[in-house]
Amino acid sequence: MTDNNSPIVVTIGILGGTGKEGSGLAMRWALNGYRVVIGSRDAERAAARAAELNAALNGEYIVGKSNAEAAEEADYVVLSVPYDAHRTTIESVKDQLKGKVMIDLTVPLAPPDVMRVNVPEGKSAALEAQSYLAESARVVAAFQNVSAVKLKDPNVTVDCDVLVCSDDADAKRGVIQLVEAAGMRGIDAGPLANAVAVEALTPVLLYINKAYKVKGAGIRITG
C-alpha cells in the first residue's frame, strides 16, 4: 500500500520485448521511472533477456514474463513484433488488452524486399490491429521510423521525430509523453488512418540506409 505522497508508477508491457527495438525502448523507459515488463511467447526467454538488460543498466529495472502476463500488468501495451506475428500476437492477448492503450510499432514489411512499400489488405498494420480489437482497446501507431540501432544505447540522443497516430486524443497524448520519456520528440500526426503513410516511410528509410551506406536514417518535422 502506498501513501498519498507516493508517485504513481506507470507500467509498460512490451510484447516482443526481447527484440532490438523493444529492448531499446525498455531500457529508456526503465531509466525514466517507468516499470517495464518485457514479454515473449516464451516467458523464460523474456526473463533471460530482462536479466541481460538489467546487467547493462547496472540495476534491477526490468522484468520478463509471458506476453499475456506483460499485457495483463501493463497500463500501456507496446506491440513490437514482425508483421508475420502481428495478428497471432494480438489475438493471443486480446482479453488482456481490454480497456487499454496498445502502441503498435509494426511495419508490414514483405521480406526479402524490405525496401519496397507493402500495403497490406487492411491498409496498415495499425488499422488491422484496431479492427482485430474492435472497441475493446485503443490503438496508437508510433515508433515505426526509429532505428533500433539508435535506441540500443540509452545514453545516445536519438535524432528522429516520432509520428503518433490514433483516433483517440487522450491515448495519443499519453503516448507522446512516452515518446518524450524515451528521449525523442512526439508529433501528433492525426488519425489512425494516417498510419498508412507513417508505416510506408520505413522501407523508404531502409532504402536510404543502403543507398547512402548509413545506419539509422530518421525523419525530422521542420518549421
Side-chain angles (χ1 to χ4, degrees):
M1 185 173 179
T2 59
D3 60 47
N4 292 333
N5 296 318
S6 298
I8 297 173
V9 178
V10 174
T11 298
I12 304 172
I14 307 178
L15 314 186
T18 58
K20 293 179 180 179
E21 190 162 25
S23 294
L25 287 169
M27 289 192 292
R28 288 170 177 269
W29 282 324
L31 289 174
N32 278 280
Y34 292 87
R35 177 175 181 266
V36 178
V37 183
I38 60 171
S40 172
R41 288 177 298 177
D42 182 343
E44 291 185 2
R45 182 185 178 199
R49 183 60 175 148
E52 292 173 2
L53 296 176
N54 285 329
L57 295 173
N58 295 313
E60 295 297 320
Y61 296 94
I62 300 166
V63 296
K65 300 188 177 185
S66 69
N67 279 334
E69 290 172 316
E72 179 68 34
E73 295 181 18
D75 300 296
Y76 289 89
V77 179
V78 178
L79 183 63
S80 180
V81 297
Y83 183 62
D84 60 7
H86 184 249
R87 182 167 189 167
T88 55
T89 303
I90 292 172
E91 291 181 342
S92 72
V93 296
K94 193 171 182 178
D95 289 342
Q96 290 81 10
L97 289 172
K98 288 180 180 178
K100 297 185 178 182
V101 173
M102 190 189 82
I103 307 167
D104 199 344
L105 282 60
T106 311
V107 176
L109 299 175
D113 195 359
V114 297
M115 290 177 284
R116 184 184 297 274
V117 173
N118 174 57
V119 180
E121 184 178 348
K123 303 302 181 185
S124 85
L127 286 171
E128 289 180 333
Q130 190 66 80
S131 72
Y132 303 150
L133 294 167
E135 296 180 359
S136 67
R138 297 168 287 168
V139 174
V140 180
F143 297 107
Q144 290 90 346
N145 311 138
V146 183
S147 170
V149 173
K150 300 291 180 67
L151 291 173
K152 68 179 181 180
D153 185 347
N155 296 312
V156 170
T157 299
V158 180
D159 187 22
C160 181
D161 288 335
V162 176
L163 303 180
V164 182
C165 302
S166 180
D167 294 331
D168 187 290
D170 289 337
K172 192 160 42 177
R173 281 192 290 270
V175 172
I176 288 173
Q177 290 180 344
L178 294 182
V179 171
E180 293 170 352
M184 290 157 277
R185 183 174 68 159
I187 301 290
D188 184 341
L192 199 61
N194 288 357
V196 176
V198 177
E199 292 174 16
L201 282 173
T202 297
V204 176
L205 292 171
L206 292 173
Y207 180 89
I208 291 170
N209 284 340
K210 182 177 181 181
Y212 290 89
K213 296 180 175 59
V214 297
K215 292 183 178 180
I219 61 168
R220 276 289 190 204
I221 304 301
T222 63

PDB file of all heavy atoms in Angstrom, residues 22 107 114 181:
ATOM      1  N   GLY A  22      12.239  -3.273 -29.137  1.00  0.00           N
ATOM      2  CA  GLY A  22      11.555  -3.372 -27.856  1.00  0.00           C
ATOM      3  C   GLY A  22      12.511  -3.261 -26.682  1.00  0.00           C
ATOM      4  O   GLY A  22      12.221  -2.597 -25.685  1.00  0.00           O
ATOM      5  N   VAL A 107       5.499  -2.660 -38.738  1.00  0.00           N
ATOM      6  CA  VAL A 107       5.529  -2.217 -40.137  1.00  0.00           C
ATOM      7  C   VAL A 107       5.289  -3.448 -41.011  1.00  0.00           C
ATOM      8  O   VAL A 107       5.946  -4.472 -40.833  1.00  0.00           O
ATOM      9  CB  VAL A 107       6.879  -1.571 -40.494  1.00  0.00           C
ATOM     10  CG1 VAL A 107       6.926  -1.208 -41.973  1.00  0.00           C
ATOM     11  CG2 VAL A 107       7.116  -0.336 -39.639  1.00  0.00           C
ATOM     12  N   VAL A 114      12.483  -5.726 -48.326  1.00  0.00           N
ATOM     13  CA  VAL A 114      12.011  -4.856 -47.249  1.00  0.00           C
ATOM     14  C   VAL A 114      12.199  -3.376 -47.566  1.00  0.00           C
ATOM     15  O   VAL A 114      11.795  -2.526 -46.781  1.00  0.00           O
ATOM     16  CB  VAL A 114      12.719  -5.192 -45.919  1.00  0.00           C
ATOM     17  CG1 VAL A 114      12.387  -6.600 -45.475  1.00  0.00           C
ATOM     18  CG2 VAL A 114      14.225  -4.990 -46.030  1.00  0.00           C
ATOM     19  N   ALA A 181       9.647  10.602 -22.928  1.00  0.00           N
ATOM     20  CA  ALA A 181      10.379   9.896 -21.865  1.00  0.00           C
ATOM     21  C   ALA A 181      11.470   9.008 -22.436  1.00  0.00           C
ATOM     22  O   ALA A 181      12.472   8.730 -21.762  1.00  0.00           O
ATOM     23  CB  ALA A 181       9.409   9.068 -21.024  1.00  0.00           C
TER      24      ALA A 181
END
